Amino acid sequence: MMSFTSLGLSPSLLRTLAANNFTQPFPIQQQAIPAILNRKDVLGIAQTGSGKTASYVLPVLMNLQGSTTTKNRHVNALVLVPTRELAVQVREVFQMFGSKLPEPIKSLAVYGGVSINPQMIALQNVNVLVATPGRLLELVESNAVHLSDIETLVLDEADKMLNLGFKEEMNRIFALLPKKRQNLLFSATLSEDINQINQFLLHDPLVIKIEAPKDNIELINQLGYFVPEEKKGPLLRYIIKHNELKQVLVFTSSVYKADNVADKLRKNGIDAIAIHSKKSQGARTKALSKFKAGELQVLVTTDLLARGIDIEFLPCVINYELPRSPKDYIHRIGRTGRAESPGDAISLVTPEDKHHFKIIQKKMGKWVTMIDSEGIDLKGH
Ligand code: AMP
């Protein structure tokens, strides 16, 4: 059995790992940690849940020990991420391990949608910066941070950064970095675009490919309801009440729908909050932590926000609206099958969705049991 001890990490990191019940390294960690410690470039094809964050956080912290810059506002490691949520999450992992080191490593997350001044002030003596591209460029432009001493660049969920249209901003950032540095690129998929970045950015990288655990699908109880559009609201409430669901993540395909669904749930006495890109950062963070703590029954959201957010032991996911891509469907429902705890994934399928849902099932390689909602008494819901 492989242990963290054999990977070349310091006693202080080993203690923090043990204290957080990281008993054994995940496959991506077994491969990435020694390579990153050797200052090699890495291309990691891995999803959220694979342990990819710790696979770079641990060795990057090790490499920074004793070699952090003393020049003010010159950071040593830069992690680019697509969303504010991921920025906060990654920074937490740096903080968890970095703050306990004999020479603590200071990390900070910066992202848009909140005022820039506190971030400018907080950038004093930061070693590791976790940033979304747009806000990083703003901070560079106002001389709040300098990128000329970067030793290691990490791109996390690079595929999503490209999907969200960060390509041009990423290129502007690359141009600001010193030529000699270590590059770590993580992406859920290896697309043509990612390969281009790989060719341009990485030198002789170690390529690590972690297959999405297919077995997960087998752990999920999938169920579909045929339902006409106008009955979706009552059916959703019926499902939540009838099954006494305590913690449900509901997906919609638009911001408008997310608000609408949450409003209707609340009007019917079900505790629900919608989070999406139009909500303030404060409101999102608050709703998410309430939901994680089990103090919020229903969280309604869109795909954009939900990716990359790691919620353990999520018992139920409901697709109020189906995602366009089968990949997103698998991604959504995959949140329930984590950590060996089986969960439920329920999809509301309108007559117009029927064909599309067939395609999703075909791609997934699994047929979903369907119930016709016509046989359900929705009165009072
Ligand atoms: P990630 O893919 O980085 O989002 O990590 C997924 C989850 O696995 C996070 O909640 C981590 O805290 C947890 N995790 C990562 N590595 C380990 C490990 N070696 N042992 C136990 N839990 C881990």
Side-chain angles (χ1 to χ4, degrees):
M1 203 206 281
M2 166 81 83
S3 79
F4 276 108
T5 327
S6 57
L7 293 178
L9 299 170
S10 69
S12 134
L13 288 178
L14 292 175
R15 273 196 302 277
T16 314
L17 281 163
N20 287 283
N21 294 321
F22 282 39
T23 45
Q24 256 181 283
F26 290 172
I28 191 164
Q29 294 161 355
Q30 291 176 17
Q31 296 178 62
I33 291 173
I36 299 173
L37 287 175
N38 280 326
R39 309 273 175 173
K40 257 189 94 68
D41 283 5
V42 167
L43 170 62
I45 305 299
Q47 316 236 353
T48 297
S50 59
K52 64 183 167 65
T53 319
S55 84
Y56 63 80
V57 168
L58 293 163
V60 164
L61 286 172
M62 275 292 288
N63 287 346
L64 287 179
Q65 282 289 280
S67 80
T68 49
T69 186
T70 45
K71 275 192 271 170
N72 198 13
R73 297 185 176 275
H74 285 67
V75 291
N76 305 102
L78 173 65
V79 185
L80 289 180
V81 294
T83 62
R84 304 151 192 205
E85 282 72 19
L86 190 61
V88 170
Q89 211 169 286
V90 167
R91 194 267 170 167
E92 273 170 11
V93 182
F94 272 107
Q95 187 63 7
M96 170 162 111
F97 293 104
S99 61
K100 307 265 170 30
L101 291 168
E103 290 173 57
I105 300 275
K106 200 174 158 196
S107 56
L108 181 73
V110 293
Y111 39 81
V114 295
S115 73
I116 196 167
N117 282 356
Q119 295 178 354
M120 287 176 163
I121 295 164
L123 265 162
Q124 296 271 8
N125 303 317
V126 167
N127 307 117
V128 177
L129 186 60
V130 186
T132 53
R135 177 50 60 94
L136 177 66
L137 283 168
E138 285 179 79
L139 288 163
V140 168
E141 274 153 23
S142 42
N143 278 322
V145 66
H146 304 283
L147 306 181
S148 54
D149 284 351
I150 297 282
E151 290 170 38
T152 303
L153 169 72
V154 184
L155 303 184
D156 199 348
E157 300 201 355
D159 49 340
K160 202 171 159 208
M161 261 189 277
L162 294 173
N163 286 345
L164 290 175
F166 283 131
K167 195 167 190 175
E168 196 236 339
E169 287 170 332
M170 284 158 79
N171 285 333
R172 279 171 61 201
I173 294 167
F174 298 159
L176 295 168
L177 302 174
K179 290 266 157 348
K180 197 173 163 305
R181 56 163 201 269
Q182 182 179 37
N183 300 291
L184 312 173
L185 174 59
F186 293 87
S187 167
T189 52
L190 187 56
S191 63
E192 193 44 48
D193 273 341
I194 292 292
N195 211 25
Q196 263 179 29
I197 296 191
N198 165 21
Q199 310 255 327
F200 162 77
L201 216 61
L202 275 61
H203 302 283
D204 185 25
L206 172 71
V207 181
I208 305 171
K209 206 166 174 213
I210 305 295
E211 298 289 339
K214 285 226 170 51
D215 298 345
N216 255 7
I217 295 276
E218 300 304 322
L219 283 174
I220 304 164
N221 307 314
Q222 296 188 62
L223 194 62
Y225 284 92
F226 287 128
V227 58
E229 184 66 42
E230 69 276 8
K231 291 223 169 114
K232 273 187 173 181
L235 179 63
L236 176 67
R237 298 189 284 274
Y238 165 85
I239 293 170
I240 292 172
K241 286 190 177 160
H242 185 76
N243 298 298
E244 296 177 13
L245 300 177
K246 300 270 177 310
Q247 195 186 30
V248 196
L249 186 62
V250 174
F251 283 99
T252 62
S253 49
S254 70
V255 166
Y256 163 78
K257 251 290 162 331
D259 278 334
N260 189 262
V261 168
D263 282 347
K264 293 236 170 86
L265 285 172
R266 277 196 304 273
K267 281 199 185 113
N268 285 277
I270 296 171
D271 190 18
I273 299 181
I275 60 168
H276 47 66
S277 52
K278 298 264 164 22
K279 287 266 169 110
S280 77
Q281 184 54 33
R284 290 194 218 171
T285 312
K286 204 168 143 211
L288 198 61
S289 55
K290 265 184 84 177
F291 187 64
K292 281 192 187 185
E295 292 158 11
L296 170 67
Q297 191 180 3
V298 184
L299 187 69
V300 189
T301 189
T302 56
D303 286 299
L304 201 63
L305 267 203
R307 260 192 88 172
I309 297 173
D310 186 49
I311 304 173
E312 276 175 83
F313 313 122
L314 195 58
C316 183
V317 164
I318 298 181
N319 293 312
Y320 188 86
E321 288 164 310
L322 291 175
R324 245 173 296 156
S325 93
K327 238 187 232 157
D328 280 338
Y329 176 86
I330 293 171
H331 212 280
R332 285 181 183 184
I333 69 165
R335 311 182 152 272
T336 67
R338 293 260 179 95
E340 279 100 51
S341 63
D344 294 309
I346 299 169
S347 299
L348 307 194
V349 181
T350 64
E352 292 74 42
D353 291 333
K354 261 187 191 170
H355 177 67
H356 182 52
F357 196 52
K358 268 211 181 107
I359 295 174
I360 289 177
Q361 294 172 77
K362 220 172 178 177
K363 280 265 158 66
M364 171 170 59
K366 201 174 169 186
W367 295 106
V368 174
T369 309
M370 297 299 301
I371 295 175
D372 197 330
S373 66
E374 218 163 273
I376 301 171
D377 184 8
L378 295 176
K379 264 193 225 101
H381 286 287

